[in-house]
Every structure is written in C-alpha cells, then in structure tokens.
C-alpha cells in the first residue's frame, strides 16, 4: 500500500524525560529531513545532528535514525529524531516536522500502516498495544510471543488445514453420493477431528491469555468494620485504604491491582452495605452496587466470630443473579481455641486474619482458581487474546461441531463444505485476512498516538 501522506508524532510518553522521540513515516521523508536536519541521513546508522525549526534556528541536538522502505516498522521510509525529553523541546521538534510537510498521526496510524503494508498481521498489530498496556511481567511476555507470531501461526495452521479439507470435500461435489467411497469419508472424518483438537488447544491458550490481558475484577463487599480495607491492604502490600474501627470509614470505591503468578487481579474495596442516613455514605453504597455489575466475582467479607448474619444474608440476596461468591471469614485471630478448631477447610469458605496474615496464601490460590488460571511455566504456550479473538475461535468451534454432526450422518458435501467455509472465515478474521474496515477503525483508534 502506498500512502501519499507523511505522518509525524511524539512517540514517547508525555512529560519530562532524558530522551524524547519524534517519529515520522511516509514518502516525503527525504525532503523533510533536508529541512529539519539539513541532510538525508545514512540508512540504519545513528548520527548526531542539530534539529532546526522552519526559520533555520537550532531547536535541539540529538540522534537521527533513518530506515528506508520497505525495511522499517511501517514498511515506508521512517525517520526517528531522538532529542532531549522536555515537553517544550518535543513540541518544537514536532512543529518543525509538521511545517516541513508532515501531518499529525492519528492514534495507532504507524501500526495501521505496518498492517496495511503486510509487516504485521492484525493479531500481531493488536499485540503491540497489549505490550504497552500490560500490567504484569507475565502479560508482557505473553504479548511479545503474540507479536512474534505464535498466536498467528497457530491460527494459520488451522486455516490451512481447513483449506485442504475444503478442497477435498468440494471435489466430491462432482460425484454422486454412491460414488464416494468409505475411505474418502473416513479420511474427512479423521482430518476434521484433528482440526477440532487443534482448535480446542488454541482456544484454551487464548482464554488464558485473555485472563492475563484483561485481569479479573474482584469486589470486596460486606458489612462495615468487618475488615475489608485491612484485607485489601494486606493483598495489595500497601496501605491503600484507611482502616479505623469507625463503621462507614470507606465512602468510595478504592481500586488496587495486584499480581499473583503473573495474573493481574483488580481488587475493589467498597463502602460497607448497610442502611444509613449519611448522605455521603449513601452515595458510596450506590457506587458499590454499580461496581458489582462488572465484577467477575465477589469476596463477601464477614467477621468469623459471628458467621453469616441476617445482615450478611441481605447482602447476598441483593447480589446480581449468578455472580460467584467467595465467603471470607476474617478476624480468626480473635477466635478462641475451641472456635478455631471448628474452622472449615476448602469449599467456597476461606478463613483469614488480615492482621496476622493467616490464610492469605490460601485465599490467593482460590482467587486464581476462581479466575480460571491454569499455572504454566512462564506462561508457556499462552497467547495474548482479546474478546474478539475468543468470539472468533468460539464461532469457528461451533461451525466445526456442526460439520462433525453432518459428517456423522449421511455424507452431505454441500452442507459440510459450507460449515467448513464459515469456520475458515471466522479464523481468518483474527489475523485480518477477512474483516471489515470498521473493525480496523475500532481497533487502531484505541492505540496511543505515536504507535
């Protein structure tokens, strides 16, 4: 793809830093370089240069890198100007590039051009944003594997196998049902089962990657003064919430993201759910109920000395239908020896002390289990997946299941071929071989400018 526009943007985060980078891409790089630095730099060679504004005044001095097409990130001529990372300097340097013929890049436009120029497929392009947004080291490693093409390769294997199977099935359309021998039918069945098994493996890995990318939203609820804030502080490893013995201290939702075995867990401490006349506390309770709508599951925190009280039951009855609940009995450090001996083991009940830390490791492992995380060595074989990837994989699985049903009955190559075509189309949407332009706009509009 050739694009007439030359685009430019600051590629480093806003604010002050030791180094700031302005990235430029397009056909007009050489003429732009003559105006901004006074010469066309040698390809792929770092050189020290002065940067000039449109009046020929020196803005800054830094490193210049030139990557000629097609051997660049975007597949076009790319120029990177690395100067001192002050906001004023970066703005001046960007303005100089715009005056020299470039326009401001749109969010994700550099990566979009890389995709359109076949430098990346769509799944790899999305992984660029996932690397930037990764909230844990494990998520970052997983995103890098997707950028390197591991996810795309797994999808391509399934697409190629489907293509080969479709050729075989559609070739049989020229023959009557009586002329199709049992060996051919058995071969189709065998190959279809192999594709289904491969797709199940890919889907399982993608679901794990989705957990790494999105994290799990966990809401702490319970009556006031049962230790929700203390529990949050202990899990977060910092004093994220104020802890007092006064009921109703937490008036607003407090969010902290923690990492357990590389999985990001978003913990939300909420205002205690109870009847109150305090206007501010009422607002906090209203926000608590709103927060519950997006939770993956909740921790109902209770005082272990009293167990599930009528007030706790009211809270349980008010939860959205089907929302999973872990019962957390706090303050076991206050139990006497007889009561402590009756503390349950396993099930959906966890007994902890937010003061001593007892039971916290059990709680952490239960959170991972509830999230659906299957521990693997350094996330081996896990693909960074988005919701659209999971939807495409699930749709492909359903089409293959329909194909398998047809295959188990009388051999109907027309219907079987159509289900295989739909499965292939669903998988091709993951890498962008099949898809709509509005999908591209939605994906790349979420990228940061400069990437």
């Amino acid at each position: 793809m050739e694009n007439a526009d030359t685009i430019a943007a600051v590629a480093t985060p806003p604010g002050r830093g030791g180094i700031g980078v302005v990235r430029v891409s397009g056909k007009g790089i050489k003429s732009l370089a003559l105006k901004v630095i006074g010469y066309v730099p040698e390809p792929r060679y770092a050189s020290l240069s002065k940067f000039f504004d449109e009046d020929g005044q020196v803005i800054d001095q830094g490193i210049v890198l030139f990557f000629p097409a097609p051997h660049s990130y975007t597949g076009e001529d790319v120029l990177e100007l690395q100067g001192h990372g002050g906001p004023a300097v970066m703005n001046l340097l960007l303005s100089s590039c715009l005056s020299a013929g470039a326009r401001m890049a749109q969010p994700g436009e550099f990566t979009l051009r890389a995709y359109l120029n076949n430098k990346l497929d769509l799944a790899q392009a999305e992984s660029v944003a996932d690397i930037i947004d990764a909230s844990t080291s494990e998520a970052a490693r997983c995103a890098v594997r997707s950028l390197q093409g591991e996810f795309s390769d797994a999808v391509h294997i399934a697409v190629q196998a489907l293509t080969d199977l479709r050729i075989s099935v559609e070739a049989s359309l020229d023959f009557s049902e009586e002329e199709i021998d049992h060996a051919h039918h058995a071969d189709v069945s065998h190959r279809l089962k192999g594709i289904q098994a491969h797709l199940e493996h890919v889907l399982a890995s993608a679901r794990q990657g989705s957990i790494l990318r999105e994290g799990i939203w966990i809401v702490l609820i319970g009556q006031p003064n049962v230790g929700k804030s203390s529990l949050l502080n202990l899990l977060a490893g910092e004093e994220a919430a104020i802890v007092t013995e006064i009921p109703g201290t937490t008036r607003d939702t407090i969010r902290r993201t923690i990492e357990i075995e590389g999985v990001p867990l978003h913990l939300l401490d909420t205002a205690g759910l109870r009847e109150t006349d305090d206007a501010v506390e009422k607002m906090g309770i209203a926000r608590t109920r709103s927060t519950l709508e997006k939770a993956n599951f909740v921790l109902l925190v209770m005082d272990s000395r009293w167990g599930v009280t009528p007030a706790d039951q009211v809270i349980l009855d008010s939860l959205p239908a089907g929302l999973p609940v872990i019962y957390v009995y706090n303050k076991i450090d206050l139990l006497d020896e007889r009561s402590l001996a009756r503390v349950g083991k396993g099930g959906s009940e966890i007994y902890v002390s937010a003061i001593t830390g007892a039971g916290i490791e059990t709680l952490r492992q239960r959170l991972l289990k509830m999230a659906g995380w299957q521990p693997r060595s350094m996330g081996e074989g896990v693909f960074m997946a988005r919701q659209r990837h999971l939807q495409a994989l699930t749709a492909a699985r359903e089409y293959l299941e329909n194909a398998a049903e047809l295959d188990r009955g009388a051999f109907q190559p027309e219907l079987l071929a159509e289900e295989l075509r739909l499965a292939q189309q669903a998988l091709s949407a993951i890498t962008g071989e099949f898809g709509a332009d509005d999908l591209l706009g939605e994906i790349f509009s979420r990228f940061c400018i400069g990437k």
Side-chain angles (χ1 to χ4, degrees):
M1 183 207 81
E2 287 193 3
N3 200 309
D5 290 344
T6 299
I7 57 174
V10 178
T12 42
R16 291 176 173 81
I19 297 174
V21 177
V22 172
R23 175 180 289 164
V24 192
S25 179
K27 294 176 66 177
I29 289 294
K30 292 180 180 179
S31 62
L32 182 144
L34 289 172
K35 295 176 183 178
V36 176
I37 62 175
Y39 65 97
V40 177
E42 183 179 344
R44 290 175 293 280
Y45 180 82
S47 56
L48 182 64
S49 177
K50 293 179 180 178
F51 304 145
F52 301 97
D53 64 16
E54 58 270 29
D55 297 323
Q57 300 296 312
V58 176
I59 298 170
D60 192 14
Q61 180 173 281
I63 300 297
V64 177
L65 290 168
F66 174 48
F67 304 94
H71 304 296
S72 69
Y73 178 71
T74 62
E76 305 170 335
D77 287 348
V78 171
L79 184 70
E80 289 195 355
L81 307 171
Q82 303 178 8
H84 295 91
V89 174
M90 286 293 101
N91 287 335
L92 285 171
L93 186 52
L94 177 60
S95 295
S96 179
C97 292
L98 299 180
S99 298
R103 68 163 172 83
M104 273 292 296
Q106 298 297 315
E109 191 169 2
F110 289 96
T111 305
L112 173 60
R113 291 189 177 198
Y115 164 70
L116 295 174
N117 289 321
N118 297 315
K119 304 296 288 187
L120 302 168
D121 65 31
L122 192 53
Q124 289 175 299
E126 289 170 301
S127 69
V128 173
D130 292 335
I131 291 173
I132 296 171
D133 294 336
S135 57
T136 69
S137 57
E138 194 60 52
R141 292 190 187 98
C142 183
V144 168
R145 283 193 292 273
S146 291
L147 176 60
Q148 292 174 336
E150 290 188 20
F151 184 24
S152 300
D153 289 345
V155 172
H156 284 308
I157 289 172
V159 169
Q160 186 58 54
L162 278 168
T163 301
D164 294 342
L165 184 55
R166 286 180 63 198
I167 292 172
S168 179
V169 170
E170 291 180 18
S172 66
L173 293 175
D174 296 331
F175 302 95
S176 67
E177 187 174 328
E178 290 75 15
E179 294 174 307
I180 300 173
D181 60 29
H182 292 292
H184 176 74
H185 192 174
D187 179 61
V188 168
S189 300
H190 176 73
R191 290 160 69 183
L192 180 57
K193 289 178 182 177
I195 296 171
Q196 285 182 291
H198 174 74
L199 188 61
E200 286 298 326
H201 174 73
V202 175
L203 183 55
S205 296
R207 282 174 174 157
Q208 295 290 284
S210 179
I211 293 173
L212 284 178
R213 181 181 184 274
E214 304 291 343
I216 302 298
W217 293 85
I218 306 166
V219 178
L220 282 71
I221 61 172
Q223 298 180 64
N225 210 30
V226 293
K228 298 187 302 300
S229 297
S230 297
L231 189 60
L232 172 68
N233 290 342
L234 185 62
L235 288 170
E238 59 178 310
E239 192 168 331
I242 299 172
V243 178
T244 74
E245 295 182 0
I246 303 172
T249 300
T250 301
R251 303 298 185 93
D252 203 353
T253 300
I254 299 171
R255 172 186 165 184
R256 284 293 180 273
T257 296
I258 66 172
E259 176 182 344
I260 303 178
E261 295 185 13
V263 179
L265 302 179
H266 310 295
L267 299 173
L268 296 101
D269 183 21
T270 59
L273 296 172
R274 64 169 182 166
E275 295 297 324
T276 180
D277 294 325
D278 187 297
V280 177
E281 192 177 355
K282 280 184 176 180
M283 293 176 64
I285 292 171
R287 290 188 178 184
T288 294
R289 299 197 184 281
S290 175
T291 300
L292 288 170
E293 297 297 328
K294 67 176 183 179
N296 294 104
F297 54 89
V298 302
L299 301 184
L300 175 60
V301 184
M302 296 166 288
D303 192 318
S304 59
R305 293 171 295 178
W306 321 125
V308 181
T309 66
D312 293 320
Q313 190 59 52
V314 170
I315 293 173
L316 285 170
D317 293 340
S318 69
L319 295 178
L323 184 61
V325 179
I326 297 179
Y327 298 85
V328 180
Y329 294 90
N330 190 26
K331 303 185 180 182
I332 60 172
D333 54 292
L334 300 180
L335 294 177
D336 57 38
E337 291 185 6
R338 179 178 298 178
S339 299
L340 193 60
R342 294 198 300 268
V343 165
K345 307 289 184 184
S348 60
E349 299 179 347
I350 305 292
Y351 290 81
V352 303
S353 169
I355 301 299
T356 68
I360 293 300
E361 185 56 34
T362 301
L363 175 59
R364 288 195 176 101
Q365 293 305 313
R366 182 60 52 79
L367 294 178
L368 286 179
K369 183 177 181 180
M370 289 286 288
W373 178 248
Q374 301 294 326
R376 304 185 184 201
S377 176
M378 300 295 288
E380 182 181 354
V382 174
F383 309 125
M384 184 61 75
R386 299 182 171 211
Q387 191 59 38
R388 78 170 192 92
H389 301 153
L390 296 180
Q391 290 173 347
L393 290 168
T394 301
R397 181 175 67 176
E398 291 175 356
Y399 291 130
L400 290 179
E401 288 175 349
N402 294 339
E405 286 292 330
L406 291 168
D407 181 63
R408 282 190 285 270
F411 191 64
Q412 303 178 68
E414 299 92 343
L415 298 179
L416 182 59
E418 177 61 11
E419 295 296 341
L420 295 177
R421 184 189 70 82
L422 292 172
Q424 180 178 339
Q425 182 174 288
L427 291 177
S428 295
I430 294 175
T431 55
E433 296 167 59
F434 174 86
D437 289 341
D438 56 350
L439 172 64
L440 297 182
E442 173 68 20
I443 289 172
F444 288 102
S445 67
R446 298 172 183 267
F447 279 54
C448 56
I449 294 176
K451 201 61 182 177

